[in-house]
Structures are given as structure tokens and as C-alpha cells.
Amino acid sequence: MTLPPDLRTRRRQPELMDQPGLDPAEHRQALEALRRVNAFSLGSRAVWPQVQAFCRQRAAMSPGEAVRLLDVASGGGDFAVRIARRARREGLPLEVSGCDVSPFAIQHASEQASRAGVEASFFRHDALTGPLPAGFDVLTCSLFLHHLDPPAAVALLRAMREAGSLVLVDDLERGRLGWLLAYAGIRILSRSTVAHVDGPLSVEGAFTRDEVRRMALEAGWSAPEVIPRWPCRFLLVGRS
């Protein structure tokens, strides 16, 4: 039986999907694996009540004015597409965009939106090298924070706080159960060898709730809220 390593200390290691030159077929298979994991873990459903409440408040204050949402480091786009689909179903005026540093991921995300029949736009942007684009009300980020060293994570959280009125960060929480779920679950959900390697590594590089709260405070968030959620994840919420 495979046992998890000591997870009391964070161990961030390079993941296969982050490496340049990854075979496009393997990259696409790994993105599909992430889509299945996100569907199973209900990431978009966890943030939706916050987005829904913001949209309804905006509609009450400024009827007819759309809320603009940016999904930072949007990857394969499934998170943003699910939010766009939910907004369309409920008739809420929400304009969804996503940005990512990978041109391959942007192309894949655009294809996902087209197949889903939703209006979600994706563009290339490196969220770690400069300010985030202006003009957005809600900023989301799913399963990206654990890829970063603490200084870069703090910088990203600061940039998101400065760019939007509502910030929602959904990510893994480091722990033994989360590691076991990642190891076993990804093998059930996908045949991607890249995902099989990266899943447990992601948990080893993840933050705890206390660690992410401290980083949010360091980034200038006035009252960060860290909500634990199943399976072994957290939702970090910031409002301005």
C-alpha cells in the first residue's frame, strides 16, 4: 500500500503539466483529468453562492449592469465554463473571462466554452509578472495557489484584492486524507499518467488553512475568510 509522506511541512515540487515541451496529447489528457476532478469536487458549486449573491446585489443597485468575472490561471477552462453555464441557467447578467499563461490551455478552454454553448472568453496573461487586467468585479482562482512559493502566492493574492471587489480562491488543503484521496481518486477518474503523478504532488505543495489566512493578511486583505469544504479543500473569500 502506498503511504503519504510527512505532510507537516509543505513540499512544493515541479509538476509534469508545468514543464515546457509536454506532449500536446498528454497535456490535453491531463486537462481532461482536471476537468473530471473539478466536477467531482464541486469547485464551481462552492463559489457559486458568493457569485450569485454579488450578481443579485449589483442587479438591485444597478439594474441592467452586468457583473464581470475573471478566472485567474484558468487552465482548461472548465471552472469558468461551469460558472458561465450556471449564470445563464439562472438568468444572471454575468460576463465570464479567463486568463492563463499557456496558449495551449487558452485554446483548450475556448473549445470547452464553444462545446458547452456558453459565452466565456479566454486570453493569455501571466498573472505573476504584473498587475491583473482592470475592469473586473469578481476574481476567482481554482487549483493554482498551491503551485506557488509563498512570496508569489502573497503577490497574487495582493493583485487579486487590488483588481476586484470580490475574490474567491478555491484550492487544496495539505493533509494525509487529501493526499490519499488524490492518489486513489485520480486513478479512478483518469488514465492520465501526468495526472497520476501531479495529483499527490499538488497536495504535498498545498497550503493549510492557517497558512493561507496568514498569506492573505500579509497581502493586505482586511478580513479574509477561509471556509473548509469537502474533499480536503478550502475556499478563501475576500471582499472590499
Side-chain angles (χ1 to χ4, degrees), residues 16-108:
L16 297 181
M17 199 161 64
D18 296 334
Q19 303 308 308
L22 180 63
D23 179 76
E26 291 186 338
H27 197 166
R28 189 175 299 276
Q29 189 179 37
L31 289 174
E32 174 63 17
L34 280 178
R35 185 192 66 79
R36 294 181 181 180
V37 169
N38 285 335
F40 178 75
S41 59
L42 306 177
S44 60
R45 187 176 298 182
V47 307
W48 179 251
Q50 305 278 350
V51 175
Q52 181 188 58
F54 190 95
C55 289
R56 289 178 174 172
Q57 183 182 34
R58 171 66 61 82
M61 297 176 60
S62 304
E65 182 178 339
V67 171
R68 299 189 68 209
L69 181 148
L70 176 65
D71 188 37
V72 177
S74 52
D78 57 282
F79 187 85
V81 167
R82 285 193 179 94
I83 292 175
R85 184 189 293 127
R86 190 72 177 265
R88 183 185 62 184
R89 188 163 63 240
E90 298 191 14
L92 294 177
L94 180 67
E95 298 177 0
V96 177
S97 300
C99 66
D100 199 278
V101 71
S102 166
F104 185 90
I106 292 301
Q107 179 183 353
H108 185 84

Side-chain angles (χ1 to χ4, degrees), residues 71-163:
D71 188 37
V72 177
S74 52
D78 57 282
F79 187 85
V81 167
R82 285 193 179 94
I83 292 175
R85 184 189 293 127
R86 190 72 177 265
R88 183 185 62 184
R89 188 163 63 240
E90 298 191 14
L92 294 177
L94 180 67
E95 298 177 0
V96 177
S97 300
C99 66
D100 199 278
V101 71
S102 166
F104 185 90
I106 292 301
Q107 179 183 353
H108 185 84
S110 299
E111 292 169 357
Q112 291 288 322
S114 178
R115 280 196 292 268
V118 298
E119 294 185 5
S121 61
F122 297 91
F123 58 91
R124 190 175 184 276
H125 181 78
D126 188 347
L128 303 180
T129 59
L132 293 170
F136 290 94
D137 308 292
V138 179
L139 277 81
T140 61
C141 185
S142 177
L143 297 181
F144 179 61
L145 201 68
H146 67 265
H147 289 269
L148 308 178
D149 288 326
V154 169
L156 178 66
L157 292 175
R158 180 178 295 113
M160 293 180 73
R161 181 189 64 83
E162 293 172 349

